[in-house]
């Protein structure tokens, strides 16, 4: 049911706007033909008898539109945000486990700096086995009751699951990006491409962005600082800095590398949005030639 | 003696003194239901029945902030039709809905499906709101979905705010009706001095409409202004 059935229907012919009134069976009830049709219709719709129809028809239209607005962009953006949140959460929880486990076996906690490896290790090996492996005779941590140790290990198991979930999400993002935005994917990879998409809110928007914007997505704080005070130097790169193409360039070449990279990414985004042929390889070649 | 009184000359808007501060209120169209975590207040009417009011938080609503800053006119009253551009999730719209009552109608327009989705729930509850997913810069895309209105309210952070507002007032506002425009200086030009931005906006508005009031919304919103215009008869 749409507003056409609720009220009437515009038709434009012979240089004039006509209002054709329908009933719910699409039967034409009457024809109106005025020069100022829009004004008259606007005033007529103000009448109380149309009030409920206007509300209900609009609610139905909006519900359909909202449902239709969910697409692949949505899932990629949500999953990349989930990865960022998992990073934060895992970091916080591992810090807690480090402190707690550290009272039991500080030597191991001190030795393993990488959070993920630390968690995996305490789930795999017992303290006594590890002490033998390291030829340690004494530890600064006491033996503790198994019910206390169970709590620490149980908590660590949850975090290990969260790390696994993070991997699952990253694989999902990679696979989705490869299919949804193959050209951008071939230039940036899954993660950075998805982060760019998240900043751009949708592939459509990203395709229409100038490459200078893509170059600086992620450096908004620095960008606006510069815009407010031109004496402050503008940023050279945003998210794309973390890509080897920019990161590995000589410091003096970073700006040029970022600019050229962003230019190719924006072309790739356009090809992806308009479903063009795959040109990712060609773009990569041109880019590598330029960077010599 | 009732603690809740009408707020100045605005029918449909109320206030209650809590200690030294004044709390803005509207009568709850749906007693018992809260929209955005606002507080509820109660009073008795002449027959002794309990009447429920919702707090109108000026930090969450630019229209509420304008009222707290002594704006002279807000145009809307009971039974009015209002075009609300930039309705978002419906915090301010809920107060407009309270004011216009069950026979009024707010056309609540926004461009973003995600926030409009929340607005739909508010609309389904209150039954005097018609949500619309459209770009306010293109009135021709929704002119067949709405009627002429008594008041236009716009709170959209865009560079072309003034132009969009004027376009919509010309198309949909009844002659003699009031238009309300909330302006965020940073959205128009992040580098300019807000006062300059407001001066330019005022000049644009004066070309097509009569500016009847102008308020700056600090301390409730920084670098924001509120214009009230009237469409010629």
């Amino acid at each position: 049911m749409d507003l056409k059935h609720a009220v009437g229907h515009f038709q434009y012919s012979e240089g004039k706007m006509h209002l054709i009134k329908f009933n719910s069976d699409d039967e034409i009830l009457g024809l109106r033909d005025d020069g100022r049709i829009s004004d008259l219709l606007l005033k007529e719709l103000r009448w109380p008898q149309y009030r409920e129809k206007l509300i209900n028809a609009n609610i139905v239209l909006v519900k359909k539109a909202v449902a239709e607005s969910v697409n692949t962009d949505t899932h990629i953006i949500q999953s990349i945000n989930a990865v960022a949140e998992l990073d934060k959460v895992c970091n916080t929880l591992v810090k807690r486990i480090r402190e707690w486990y550290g009272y039991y076996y500080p030597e191991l906690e001190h030795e393993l700096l990488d959070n993920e490896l630390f968690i995996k290790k305490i789930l795999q090996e017992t303290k006594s086995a590890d002490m033998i492996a390291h030829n340690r005779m004494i530890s600064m941590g006491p033996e503790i009751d198994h019910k206390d140790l169970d709590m620490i290990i149980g908590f660590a198991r949850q975090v290990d699951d969260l790390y696994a979930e993070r991997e699952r999400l990253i694989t999902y993002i990679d696979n989705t990006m490869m299919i949804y935005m193959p050209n951008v994917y071939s230039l940036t990879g899954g993660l950075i491409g998805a982060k760019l998409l998240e900043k751009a809110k949708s592939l459509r928007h990203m395709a229409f962005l100038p490459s200078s914007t893509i170059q600086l997505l992620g450096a908004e704080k620095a960008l606006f600082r510069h815009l407010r005070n031109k004496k402050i130097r503008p940023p050279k790169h945003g998210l794309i800095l973390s890509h080897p193409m920019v990161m590995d360039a000589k410091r003096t070449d970073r700006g040029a590398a970022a600019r050229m990279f962003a230019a190719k990414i924006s072309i790739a985004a356009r090809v992806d949005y308009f479903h063009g042929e795959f040109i990712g390889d060609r773009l990569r070649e041109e880019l590598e030639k330029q960077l010599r | 003696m009732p603690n809740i009184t009408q707020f100045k000359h605005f029918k449909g808007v109320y206030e209650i003194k809590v200690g030294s501060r004044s709390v803005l209120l509207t009568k709850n169209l749906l007693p018992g239901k809260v929209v955005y975590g606002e507080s509820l207040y109660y009073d008795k009417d002449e027959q002794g029945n309990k009447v429920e009011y919702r707090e109108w938080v000026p930090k969450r609503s630019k229209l509420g902030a304008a009222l707290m800053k002594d704006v002279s006119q807000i145009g809307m009253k009971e039974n009015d039709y209002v075009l609300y551009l930039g309705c978002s999730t419906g915090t301010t719209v809920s107060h407009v809905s309270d004011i216009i009552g069950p026979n009024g109608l707010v056309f609540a327009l926004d461009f973003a499906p995600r926030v409009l989705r929340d607005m739909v729930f508010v609309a389904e509850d209150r039954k005097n709101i018609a949500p619309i997913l459209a770009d306010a810069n293109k009135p021709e895309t929704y002119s067949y979905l709405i009627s002429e209105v008594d008041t236009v309210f716009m709170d959209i952070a865009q560079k072309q705010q003034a132009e969009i507002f004027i376009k919509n007032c010309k198309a949909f506002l009844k002659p003699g009706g009031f238009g309300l425009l909330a302006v965020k200086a940073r959205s128009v030009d992040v580098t300019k001095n807000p006062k300059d931005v407001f001066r330019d906006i005022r000049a644009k508005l004066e070309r097509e409409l009569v500016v009847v009031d102008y308020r700056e919304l600090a301390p409730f919103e920084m670098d924001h202004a509120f214009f009230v215009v009237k469409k010629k008869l």
Side-chain angles (χ1 to χ4, degrees):
Chain A
M1 186 265 261
D2 64 40
L3 201 71
K4 155 182 149 180
H5 292 99
V7 182
H9 174 61
F10 282 156
Q11 222 180 55
Y12 191 80
S13 70
E14 292 162 18
K16 275 183 166 179
M17 285 287 272
H18 306 265
L19 175 66
I20 304 165
K21 273 187 179 285
F22 295 88
N23 66 7
S24 54
D25 298 321
D26 269 335
E27 217 187 293
I28 295 179
L29 292 175
L31 221 55
R32 275 174 56 181
D33 183 351
D34 278 301
R36 288 163 38 89
I37 195 77
S38 317
D39 286 354
L40 286 174
L41 182 68
L42 283 175
K43 284 198 196 310
E44 185 175 324
L45 286 172
R46 178 72 172 81
W47 298 350
Q49 67 254 44
Y50 292 123
R51 196 179 149 275
E52 265 196 60
K53 288 180 178 175
L54 278 176
I55 295 175
N56 296 333
N58 273 304
I59 287 182
V60 169
L61 282 176
V62 166
K63 285 186 174 179
K64 277 203 222 152
V66 167
E68 276 163 25
S69 73
V70 177
N71 61 4
T72 318
D73 292 330
T74 311
H75 298 299
I76 295 178
I77 290 170
Q78 290 297 317
S79 49
I80 195 79
N81 283 330
V83 168
E85 273 146 19
L86 274 176
D87 283 340
K88 265 202 233 165
V89 165
C90 286
N91 231 25
T92 308
L93 293 179
V94 173
K95 282 208 284 218
R96 174 56 54 206
I97 294 173
R98 278 186 182 278
E99 258 211 66
W100 199 355
Y101 187 88
Y103 281 104
Y104 169 61
Y105 190 15
E107 288 79 8
L108 182 67
E109 191 278 312
H110 182 81
E111 180 188 22
L112 289 175
L113 295 174
D114 183 275
N115 284 338
E116 232 183 306
L117 287 177
F118 167 69
I119 295 288
K120 287 218 144 39
K121 185 75 170 183
I122 67 176
L123 292 174
Q124 285 170 341
E125 276 233 71
T126 60
K127 176 178 176 183
S128 41
D130 188 80
M131 281 183 69
I132 293 172
H134 283 88
N135 280 328
R136 281 194 194 111
M137 297 309 293
I138 58 170
S139 158
M140 281 190 277
E143 285 312 300
I144 65 177
D145 203 277
H146 77 85
K147 72 165 169 36
D148 298 319
L149 187 59
D150 281 348
M151 292 307 292
I152 307 173
I153 299 300
F155 193 20
R157 204 157 279 136
Q158 295 302 312
V159 180
D160 192 49
D161 282 346
L162 285 177
Y163 276 123
E165 186 58 33
R166 185 186 181 279
E167 281 314 302
R168 220 168 69 96
L169 279 164
I170 293 199
T171 308
Y172 166 72
I173 290 170
D174 221 64
N175 294 338
T176 314
M177 284 291 296
M178 192 160 36
I179 299 173
Y180 186 54
M181 301 166 60
N183 288 282
V184 173
Y185 178 82
S186 70
L187 285 174
T188 65
L191 262 191
I192 294 182
K195 286 187 188 165
L196 288 172
L197 183 67
E198 195 264 328
K199 286 279 171 188
K201 312 275 179 65
S202 69
L203 177 56
R204 181 177 196 282
H205 193 232
M206 190 171 164
F208 285 83
L209 284 176
S211 60
S212 57
T213 301
I214 292 186
Q215 187 178 343
L216 301 182
L217 283 176
E220 286 78 18
K221 188 167 166 207
L223 176 64
F224 284 102
R225 223 172 38 202
H226 157 72
L227 288 176
R228 280 183 230 265
N229 180 357
K230 293 294 166 69
K231 291 204 182 128
I232 300 176
R233 292 206 208 127
K236 293 187 287 296
H237 33 55
L239 282 167
I240 58 177
L241 173 60
S242 52
H243 193 278
M245 195 86 43
V246 181
M247 181 69 97
D248 294 344
K250 275 191 287 188
R251 196 141 287 213
T252 52
D253 294 338
R254 283 257 176 86
R259 188 178 63 243
M260 291 188 240
F261 193 32
K264 296 294 187 248
I265 295 174
S266 67
I267 295 172
R270 283 162 209 170
V271 175
D272 282 329
Y273 178 65
F274 292 105
H275 306 296
E277 274 177 25
F278 183 72
I279 59 165
D281 297 332
R282 191 163 28 106
L283 289 175
R284 246 219 133 84
E285 265 180 56
E286 288 176 15
L287 195 52
E288 270 151 20
K289 240 194 288 178
Q290 282 178 308
L291 284 174
R292 206 112 318 126
Chain B
M1 192 189 82
N3 322 3
I4 294 179
T5 54
Q6 181 176 294
F7 181 72
K8 305 197 180 139
H9 57 281
F10 296 102
K11 288 209 166 62
V13 186
Y14 305 86
E15 71 176 315
I16 183 171
K17 291 260 189 296
V18 176
S20 57
R21 69 178 185 122
S22 194
V23 173
L24 208 60
L25 307 164
T26 55
K27 211 181 276 191
N28 198 348
L29 189 67
L30 294 178
K33 273 220 152 186
V34 153
V35 177
Y36 57 97
E38 72 277 18
S39 309
L40 295 174
Y41 291 80
Y42 296 92
D43 199 4
K44 285 204 160 57
D45 66 7
E46 299 90 43
Q47 283 84 25
N49 303 315
K50 197 161 83 155
V51 182
E52 186 178 285
Y53 298 83
R54 296 163 56 230
E55 180 179 358
W56 195 344
V57 183
K59 273 203 181 277
R60 297 282 300 267
S61 166
K62 302 196 182 78
L63 184 55
L67 283 166
M68 295 297 276
K69 294 287 294 197
D70 287 324
V71 73
S72 60
Q73 255 297 355
I74 59 166
M76 51 192 87
K77 56 195 182 306
E78 203 176 353
N79 302 326
D80 266 6
Y81 276 34
V82 178
L83 174 61
Y84 194 120
L85 304 166
C87 64
S88 182
T89 51
T91 37
T92 304
V93 175
S94 66
H95 291 288
V96 175
S97 157
D98 281 342
I99 293 173
I100 60 177
N103 293 321
L105 207 177
V106 193
F107 297 103
L109 189 142
D110 206 288
F111 192 37
R114 177 60 190 88
V115 297
L116 200 64
R117 195 177 83 196
D118 293 344
M119 177 76 243
V120 169
F121 293 124
V122 179
E124 285 190 307
D125 279 346
R126 288 167 161 264
K127 306 197 203 303
N128 65 355
I129 303 172
I132 302 172
L133 181 67
D135 182 356
N137 204 5
K138 307 196 175 110
E140 64 276 10
T141 58
Y142 51 94
S143 64
Y144 68 102
L145 296 172
I146 67 177
S147 72
E148 187 187 69
V149 292
D150 302 295
T151 310
V152 170
F153 177 93
M154 182 164 125
D155 180 10
I156 291 179
Q158 282 254 318
K159 202 177 170 82
Q160 307 295 322
Q161 290 182 30
E163 285 79 2
I164 298 173
F165 179 65
I166 293 168
K167 227 192 276 195
N168 279 277
C169 285
K170 280 170 101 167
F172 306 117
L173 184 58
K174 74 175 182 199
F178 288 101
L180 313 171
L181 175 66
V183 180
K184 181 172 171 179
R186 300 290 167 206
S187 301
V188 178
D189 192 333
V190 70
T191 57
K192 274 205 189 133
N193 185 331
K195 289 252 193 317
D196 294 332
V197 171
F198 300 142
R199 205 175 345 108
D200 292 342
I201 300 250
R202 191 194 190 112
K204 286 189 184 149
L205 294 176
E206 275 169 350
R207 256 175 255 152
E208 319 255 8
L209 302 151
V210 179
V211 176
V212 300
D213 202 357
Y214 161 79
R215 301 272 115 196
E216 283 177 28
L217 298 182
F220 305 109
E221 299 278 357
M222 301 316 289
D223 301 333
H224 276 70
F226 196 84
F227 287 92
V228 181
V229 300
K230 192 166 182 188
K231 187 168 176 178
K232 302 182 186 139
L233 276 160

